[in-house]
Amino acid sequence: WTRDSRFFYYSDLAADEYGLTNVLIQVDMQDGSLETLYEGSVADQGLSLSFPVCSPTENMLVVSAQTNLKVPGKRLYALNLDDLSLSMILDDLSKVPGFYAWSADGRQVVFQVYTPAAPDQESEIWVWDRASGETQKLVTGGSAPQWGEEVDS
């Protein structure tokens, strides 16, 4: 959901005359309309987007993208919903990011990373800082990270 609760986003497979297409859809809750923001042909090994998560403070979301279906790894992007520009968060196709969550102030995204080629390797927890654009590994051995709520003292 966007911060004003007007839109929500999801990814799906859609059939067209060329076969299956992976799409990122925006749903407008005011008028019920659907808009395709991005699409990629599965037959052409094109863009496969999944798991969009909206920022709590800005008009953007985080989404993972499998840019080549023959390679199991995924990239992680921040998508600016005003101009549909993409900012790279994680660009390592040997890894698969998942379980991403925005901090309450929208400044950081925490996410889990695993390596498909090393199934016995423990997952890692990474964080992306929006202001600096830097991504770093925090710990090895964690899974499904989430931000806690701030507690007033």
Side-chain angles (χ1 to χ4, degrees):
W1 290 94
T2 53
R3 65 182 184 270
D4 63 2
S5 298
R6 178 173 177 188
F7 300 103
F8 77 88
Y9 300 86
Y10 69 94
S11 59
D12 199 2
L13 286 175
D16 62 17
E17 63 269 19
Y18 305 109
L20 292 176
T21 300
N22 178 260
V23 292
L24 179 64
I25 304 288
Q26 172 183 273
V27 179
D28 186 330
M29 295 304 292
Q30 288 184 354
D31 63 17
S33 65
L34 304 175
E35 180 181 353
T36 300
L37 300 182
Y38 275 94
E39 60 185 278
S41 170
V42 173
D44 294 335
Q45 303 305 316
L47 191 63
S48 176
L49 300 169
S50 53
F51 307 114
V53 178
C54 290
S55 165
T57 60
E58 304 293 327
N59 200 21
M60 66 174 26
L61 56 82
V62 171
V63 64
S64 62
Q66 188 172 5
T67 54
N68 181 340
L69 297 180
K70 293 180 180 176
V71 177
K74 292 186 172 190
R75 291 184 170 111
L76 189 61
Y77 292 100
L79 172 63
N80 182 321
L81 295 168
D82 293 325
D83 61 11
L84 299 181
S85 63
L86 291 168
S87 298
M88 184 73 65
I89 295 175
L90 183 68
D91 185 17
D92 183 345
L93 291 178
S94 72
K95 300 187 180 298
V96 175
F99 299 101
Y100 25 93
W102 288 91
S103 60
D105 61 9
R107 293 181 185 174
Q108 296 179 310
V109 174
V110 67
F111 55 98
Q112 176 181 322
V113 172
Y114 82 94
T115 306
D120 294 335
Q121 182 178 336
E122 292 186 274
S123 294
E124 304 164 340
I125 304 298
W126 290 56
V127 67
W128 172 64
D129 183 86
R130 216 178 95 215
S132 70
E134 293 182 18
T135 303
Q136 67 179 19
K137 181 172 74 168
L138 297 176
V139 297
T140 298
S143 63
Q146 293 293 313
W147 292 96
E149 301 221 5
E150 279 191 37
V151 178
D152 294 330
S153 42

